[in-house]
Coordinates of all heavy atoms in Angstrom, one line a residue:
L39 N 6.1 18.9 11.3 CA 5.6 17.5 11.3 C 5.1 17.2 12.7 O 5.9 17.3 13.7 CB 6.6 16.5 10.8 CG 6.4 15.0 11.0 CD1 5.0 14.6 10.3 CD2 7.5 14.2 10.5
L40 N 3.9 16.9 12.8 CA 3.3 16.5 14.2 C 2.9 15.0 14.0 O 3.4 14.3 13.1 CB 2.1 17.3 14.5 CG 2.3 18.7 15.2 CD1 3.1 19.6 14.3 CD2 0.9 19.4 15.5
G41 N 2.1 14.5 14.9 CA 1.6 13.2 14.8 C 2.2 12.2 15.8 O 2.7 12.6 16.7
A42 N 2.1 11.0 15.4 CA 2.5 9.9 16.4 C 3.3 8.8 15.7 O 3.0 8.4 14.6 CB 1.2 9.4 17.0
L43 N 4.3 8.4 16.5 CA 5.0 7.1 16.1 C 4.4 6.0 16.8 O 4.4 5.9 18.0 CB 6.5 7.3 16.4 CG 7.3 8.4 15.7 CD1 8.7 8.5 16.2 CD2 7.3 8.1 14.2
D44 N 4.0 5.0 16.0 CA 3.3 3.8 16.6 C 4.3 2.6 16.5 O 4.2 1.8 15.6 CB 2.0 3.5 15.9 CG 1.1 2.6 16.7 OD1 1.5 2.0 17.7 OD2 -0.1 2.5 16.3
W45 N 5.3 2.6 17.4 CA 6.4 1.7 17.3 C 6.0 0.3 17.4 O 6.6 -0.7 16.8 CB 7.4 1.9 18.4 CG 8.1 3.2 18.4 CD1 7.7 4.4 19.1 CD2 9.2 3.6 17.6 NE1 8.6 5.4 18.9 CE2 9.5 5.0 17.9 CE3 10.1 3.0 16.7 CZ2 10.6 5.7 17.4 CZ3 11.2 3.6 16.2 CH2 11.4 5.0 16.5
N46 N 4.9 0.0 18.2 CA 4.6 -1.3 18.6 C 3.4 -2.0 17.7 O 3.1 -3.2 18.0 CB 4.2 -1.4 20.1 CG 5.4 -0.9 20.9 OD1 6.5 -1.1 20.5 ND2 5.0 -0.3 22.1
R47 N 2.9 -1.2 16.9 CA 1.8 -1.8 16.1 C 2.4 -2.9 15.1 O 3.3 -2.6 14.4 CB 1.0 -0.7 15.3 CG -0.2 -1.3 14.6 CD -1.2 -0.1 14.2 NE -2.4 -0.7 13.7 CZ -3.4 0.1 13.2 NH1 -3.3 1.4 13.4 NH2 -4.5 -0.4 12.7
R48 N 1.8 -4.1 15.1 CA 2.3 -5.1 14.3 C 1.4 -5.6 13.2 O 1.7 -6.4 12.4 CB 2.7 -6.3 15.2 CG 4.0 -6.0 15.9 CD 5.2 -6.0 14.9 NE 6.4 -5.6 15.5 CZ 6.8 -4.3 15.5 NH1 6.1 -3.3 14.9 NH2 8.0 -3.9 16.1
L49 N 0.1 -5.1 13.2 CA -0.8 -5.5 12.2 C -1.7 -4.3 11.9 O -2.1 -3.5 12.7 CB -1.8 -6.6 12.7 CG -1.5 -8.0 12.5 CD1 -2.7 -8.9 13.0 CD2 -1.2 -8.4 11.1
F50 N -2.0 -4.2 10.5 CA -2.9 -3.1 10.1 C -4.1 -3.8 9.5 O -4.0 -4.8 8.9 CB -2.2 -2.3 9.0 CG -2.8 -0.9 8.9 CD1 -2.4 0.2 9.7 CD2 -3.8 -0.6 8.0 CE1 -2.9 1.4 9.7 CE2 -4.3 0.7 7.9 CZ -3.9 1.7 8.8
D51 N -5.3 -3.2 9.7 CA -6.5 -3.9 9.3 C -6.7 -5.3 9.8 O -7.3 -6.1 9.1 CB -6.6 -3.9 7.7 CG -6.7 -2.5 7.2 OD1 -7.1 -1.5 7.9 OD2 -6.4 -2.3 5.9
S52 N -6.0 -5.6 11.0 CA -6.0 -7.0 11.5 C -5.5 -8.0 10.4 O -6.0 -9.1 10.4 CB -7.3 -7.4 12.0 OG -7.8 -6.5 13.0
L53 N -4.7 -7.5 9.5 CA -4.3 -8.4 8.4 C -2.8 -8.1 7.9 O -2.1 -9.1 7.7 CB -5.2 -8.1 7.1 CG -4.9 -8.7 5.8 CD1 -5.1 -10.2 5.9 CD2 -5.7 -8.1 4.7
I54 N -2.5 -6.9 7.8 CA -1.2 -6.6 7.1 C -0.1 -6.5 8.2 O -0.2 -5.6 9.1 CB -1.4 -5.2 6.4 CG1 -2.4 -5.4 5.2 CG2 0.0 -4.7 5.9 CD1 -2.9 -4.1 4.7
P55 N 1.0 -7.3 8.0 CA 2.1 -7.2 9.0 C 2.8 -5.9 8.9 O 3.0 -5.3 7.8 CB 3.0 -8.4 8.5 CG 2.3 -9.2 7.6 CD 1.2 -8.3 6.9
L56 N 3.1 -5.3 10.1 CA 3.9 -4.1 10.1 C 5.2 -4.4 10.9 O 5.3 -4.2 12.1 CB 3.1 -3.0 10.9 CG 1.7 -2.6 10.4 CD1 1.1 -1.5 11.3 CD2 1.8 -2.1 9.0
P57 N 6.2 -4.9 10.2 CA 7.5 -5.3 10.9 C 8.1 -4.1 11.6 O 8.8 -4.4 12.6 CB 8.3 -5.9 9.8 CG 7.8 -5.4 8.5 CD 6.3 -5.2 8.7
D58 N 7.9 -2.9 11.1 CA 8.6 -1.7 11.7 C 7.6 -0.8 12.3 O 7.9 0.5 12.3 CB 9.5 -1.1 10.6 CG 10.4 -2.1 10.0 OD1 11.3 -2.5 10.8 OD2 10.3 -2.4 8.8
G59 N 6.4 -1.2 12.7 CA 5.4 -0.3 13.2 C 5.0 0.7 12.1 O 5.0 0.4 10.9
T60 N 4.5 1.8 12.5 CA 4.0 2.8 11.5 C 4.0 4.2 12.2 O 4.4 4.4 13.3 CB 2.7 2.5 10.9 OG1 2.4 3.4 9.8 CG2 1.5 2.6 11.9
S61 N 3.7 5.2 11.4 CA 3.5 6.6 12.0 C 2.2 7.1 11.4 O 1.8 6.8 10.3 CB 4.7 7.4 11.7 OG 4.8 7.7 10.3
Y62 N 1.6 8.1 12.1 CA 0.5 8.9 11.6 C 0.9 10.3 11.6 O 1.0 10.9 12.7 CB -0.8 8.6 12.5 CG -1.0 7.2 12.9 CD1 -0.6 6.8 14.2 CD2 -1.3 6.2 12.0 CE1 -0.7 5.5 14.6 CE2 -1.4 4.9 12.4 CZ -1.1 4.6 13.7 OH -1.2 3.2 14.1
N63 N 1.3 10.8 10.5 CA 1.8 12.1 10.4 C 0.8 13.2 10.2 O -0.1 13.0 9.3 CB 2.8 12.3 9.2 CG 3.9 11.3 9.2 OD1 4.3 10.7 10.2 ND2 4.6 11.1 8.0
A64 N 0.9 14.2 10.9 CA 0.0 15.4 10.7 C 0.9 16.6 10.5 O 2.1 16.5 10.9 CB -1.0 15.7 11.9
Y65 N 0.5 17.6 9.7 CA 1.4 18.7 9.4 C 0.7 20.0 9.8 O -0.5 20.2 9.4 CB 1.8 18.7 7.9 CG 2.6 17.5 7.5 CD1 1.9 16.3 7.1 CD2 3.9 17.4 7.7 CE1 2.6 15.2 6.7 CE2 4.7 16.3 7.3 CZ 4.0 15.2 6.8 OH 4.7 14.0 6.5
L66 N 1.5 20.9 10.5 CA 0.9 22.2 10.9 C 1.6 23.2 10.0 O 2.7 23.3 9.9 CB 1.2 22.4 12.3 CG 0.4 23.5 13.0 CD1 -1.1 23.2 13.1 CD2 0.9 23.7 14.4
V67 N 0.7 24.0 9.3 CA 1.2 25.0 8.4 C 0.7 26.4 8.9 O -0.5 26.6 8.9 CB 0.7 24.8 6.9 CG1 1.3 25.8 6.0 CG2 1.0 23.4 6.5
H68 N 1.7 27.2 9.3 CA 1.4 28.5 9.8 C 1.5 29.6 8.7 O 2.6 29.8 8.2 CB 2.3 28.9 10.9 CG 2.3 28.1 12.1 ND1 1.4 28.2 13.1 CD2 3.1 27.0 12.5 CE1 1.6 27.3 14.0 NE2 2.6 26.5 13.7
G69 N 0.4 30.3 8.3 CA 0.5 31.5 7.5 C 0.6 32.7 8.4 O 0.5 32.6 9.7
T70 N 0.7 33.9 7.8 CA 0.6 35.1 8.6 C -0.8 35.4 9.2 O -1.0 36.1 10.1 CB 1.1 36.3 7.8 OG1 0.4 36.4 6.6 CG2 2.6 36.2 7.5
E71 N -1.8 34.8 8.5 CA -3.2 35.1 8.9 C -3.9 33.8 9.4 O -4.7 33.9 10.3 CB -4.0 35.7 7.7 CG -3.5 37.0 7.3 CD -3.8 37.3 5.9 OE1 -4.9 36.7 5.4 OE2 -3.2 38.1 5.2
K72 N -3.6 32.7 8.9 CA -4.4 31.5 9.3 C -3.4 30.3 9.5 O -2.3 30.3 9.0 CB -5.3 31.1 8.1 CG -6.2 32.2 7.7 CD -7.6 32.1 8.3 CE -8.5 33.1 7.6 NZ -9.7 33.3 8.3
T73 N -3.9 29.4 10.2 CA -3.2 28.1 10.5 C -3.9 26.9 10.0 O -5.1 26.9 10.3 CB -2.8 28.0 12.0 OG1 -2.0 29.2 12.3 CG2 -2.0 26.7 12.3
A74 N -3.3 26.0 9.4 CA -4.0 24.8 8.9 C -3.3 23.5 9.5 O -2.0 23.5 9.5 CB -4.0 24.7 7.4

Side-chain angles (χ1 to χ4, degrees):
L39 167 59
L40 278 58
L43 293 174
D44 200 345
W45 297 97
N46 300 331
R47 189 163 182 178
R48 284 293 170 267
L49 267 187
F50 204 84
D51 294 342
S52 301
L53 171 70
I54 296 164
L56 303 179
D58 303 295
T60 190
S61 66
Y62 317 107
N63 303 341
Y65 297 92
L66 197 62
V67 184
H68 297 279
T70 53
E71 293 158 23
K72 309 261 189 195
T73 298

